[in-house]
């Protein structure tokens, strides 16, 4: 089977062609999420047509198109339920109708953290493990869960994916989701520069001379003994470790996979989380494995093919009943 795959990230959109579990071609384009999604979708369609032409792949031979999208998704209607300030028209679009009209293909769409987990579960770090959770550390924090071989979705599609919006600090600052003290507000790329500037030792920190204060800079300067960077690093590691304990207590996984752009600093993150979980998670049956994602950006693209196949399977079952 051949599928088209589109991964909508915070800053870029990744497009790919997936053939039987292998990404055979891909390209990236800027997300430009201040635009309308309707206009960006046309750019996506043109780019996919070009990619297929380069591969001499007629569109009609594809089994479908899959979207990985950073939102809560209604899988039955293939609609995006919220937009958190990006692509403001997203929830008004009938994506299934768009894919049919524009590309002549069926469309399957799922939340981005779930897609990262599906990719890792079927093809990467979670292969062979039917009880696993992913925590993606990036602009925001994504969580998704597979329990007993089933992707956990829930009645409104939000089960298991709001880990970034679990309350970590009951008197914390307000979050875009409406809650206060969310995990994302305490340790994510979206807040790290602001947290650095608020730190009392920021002015004398090497971070103050960085053009961009991101986690790569925080981990680099913490290793050099910079007090502000050490404080930010340690707070973030504590928050992510506490989140890992929370998801272990909630979902009973055998494996917690850490992914996302911040995992460029995996050599600092994984041992800290592993130590914390070994000390604090209540798992009398044994130890939960903590591992890094293996597929990076490819996970969501590969998951598109799996999702299209799942939809086709369901459609066949519905026809028979
Ligand atoms: Zn929140």
């Amino acid at each position: 089977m051949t599928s088209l795959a589109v991964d909508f990230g915070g800053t870029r959109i990744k497009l790919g062609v997936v053939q039987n579990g292998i990404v055979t071609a891909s390209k990236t384009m800027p997300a430009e999420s201040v635009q309308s999604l309707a206009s960006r979708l046309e750019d996506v369609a043109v780019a996919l047509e070009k990619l297929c032409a380069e591969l001499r792949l007629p569109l009609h031979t594809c089994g479908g198109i899959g979207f990985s999208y950073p939102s809560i998704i209604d899988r039955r209607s293939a609609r995006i339920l919220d937009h958190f300030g990006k692509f403001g028209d997203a929830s008004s679009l009938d994506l299934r109708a768009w894919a049919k009209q524009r590309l002549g293909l069926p469309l399957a769409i799922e939340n981005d953290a779930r897609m990262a987990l599906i990719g890792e579960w079927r093809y990467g770090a979670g292969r062979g493990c039917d009880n696993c959770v992913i925590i993606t550390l990036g602009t925001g924090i994504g969580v998704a869960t597979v329990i007993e071989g089933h992707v956990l979705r829930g009645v409104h599609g939000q089960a298991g994916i709001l880990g970034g919006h679990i309350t970590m600090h009951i008197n914390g600052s307000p979050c875009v989701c409406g809650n206060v003290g969310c995990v994302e507000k305490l340790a994510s790329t979206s807040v790290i520069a602001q947290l650095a500037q608020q730190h009392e030792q920021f002015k004398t920190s090497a971070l103050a001379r960085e053009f961009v204060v991101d986690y790569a800079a925080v981990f680099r300067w913490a290793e050099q003994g910079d007090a502000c960077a050490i404080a930010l690093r340690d707070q973030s590691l504590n928050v992510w470790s506490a989140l890992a304990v929370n998801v272990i207590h909630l979902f009973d996984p055998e494996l917690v996979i850490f992914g996302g752009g911040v995992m460029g600093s995996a050599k600092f993150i994984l041992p800290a989380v592993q130590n914390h979980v070994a000390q604090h998670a209540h798992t009398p049956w044994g130890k939960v494995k903590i591992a890094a994602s293996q597929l990076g950006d490819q996970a969501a693209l590969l998951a598109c093919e799996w999702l299209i196949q799942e939809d086709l399977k369901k459609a066949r079952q519905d026809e028979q009943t």
Side-chain angles (χ1 to χ4, degrees):
M1 177 168 159
T2 301
S3 307
L4 303 181
V6 186
D7 178 18
F8 291 85
T11 55
R12 63 203 185 117
I13 299 170
K14 189 156 189 179
L15 314 169
V17 174
V18 185
Q19 293 177 302
N20 302 317
I22 297 167
V23 178
T24 51
S26 64
K27 66 165 73 168
T28 57
M29 53 199 279
E32 294 177 13
S33 56
V34 289
Q35 285 188 29
S36 71
L37 183 58
S39 68
R40 207 66 187 124
L41 281 179
E42 178 54 26
D43 301 333
V44 164
V46 169
L48 283 170
E49 284 170 335
K50 203 167 160 222
L51 199 60
C52 289
E54 284 163 13
L55 294 171
R56 298 179 191 281
L57 176 72
L59 264 182
H60 70 269
T61 62
C62 295
I65 179 168
F67 279 8
S68 168
Y69 197 89
S71 173
I72 297 167
I73 305 295
D74 180 346
R75 287 262 299 135
R76 277 158 295 198
S77 63
R79 281 183 181 267
I80 296 163
L81 293 187
D82 56 17
H83 57 76
F84 288 128
K86 289 175 180 168
F87 293 125
D89 62 331
S91 51
S92 67
L93 301 182
D94 184 344
L95 298 170
R96 209 169 262 154
W98 171 83
K100 193 86 194 146
Q101 282 162 11
R102 181 62 181 82
L103 300 167
L105 295 174
L107 175 135
I109 180 170
E110 183 53 281
N111 165 267
D112 58 343
R114 243 180 230 137
M115 292 297 263
L117 178 59
I118 290 168
E120 294 290 341
W121 170 46
R122 304 317 297 173
Y123 305 103
R127 209 158 22 164
C129 178
D130 278 346
N131 294 278
C132 51
V133 173
I134 197 165
I135 296 175
T136 60
L137 307 176
T139 309
I141 292 184
V143 174
T145 307
V146 165
I147 294 181
E148 296 179 327
H150 296 284
V151 179
L152 183 66
R153 291 192 167 102
V155 66
H156 305 109
Q158 64 183 61
I161 59 170
L162 291 180
H165 300 278
I166 284 175
T167 308
M168 190 65 73
H169 182 356
I170 58 166
N171 298 315
S173 53
C175 178
V176 66
C177 75
N179 190 16
V180 294
C182 290
V183 174
E184 277 190 14
K185 295 296 289 181
L186 295 173
S188 68
T189 299
S190 65
V191 295
I192 191 64
Q194 190 190 351
L195 292 174
Q197 283 156 17
Q198 289 166 353
H199 193 270
E200 56 188 13
Q201 288 170 287
F202 179 68
K203 282 185 181 155
T204 56
S205 166
L207 290 173
R209 300 191 299 274
E210 289 283 337
F211 184 62
V212 176
V213 178
D214 57 10
Y215 273 108
V218 166
F219 281 105
R220 190 171 64 247
W221 285 114
E223 207 181 8
Q224 301 292 318
D226 185 282
C228 176
I230 288 171
L232 293 168
R233 176 197 68 186
D234 291 351
Q235 162 160 313
S236 298
L237 291 174
N238 283 336
V239 169
W240 299 331
S241 298
L243 176 60
V245 170
N246 285 347
V247 300
I248 290 165
H249 289 176
L250 279 170
F251 301 122
D252 187 19
E254 298 155 289
L255 168 69
V256 178
I257 302 164
F258 274 77
V262 177
M263 283 297 282
S265 302
K267 66 175 180 176
F268 302 111
I269 298 168
L270 276 189
V273 175
Q274 281 161 343
N275 281 339
H276 185 100
V277 165
Q279 281 180 43
H280 298 291
H282 184 67
T283 52
W285 51 269
K287 276 191 177 179
V288 178
K289 198 174 158 205
I290 310 290
S293 64
Q294 292 177 355
L295 302 172
D297 285 354
Q298 298 237 320
L301 298 182
L302 292 170
C304 286
E305 184 179 59
W306 183 90
L307 197 67
I308 291 163
Q309 284 171 336
E310 195 188 50
D311 275 8
L312 288 172
K313 216 186 305 172
K314 187 160 184 321
R316 276 197 296 270
Q317 282 167 356
D318 289 350
E319 265 173 33
Q320 285 166 5
T321 53

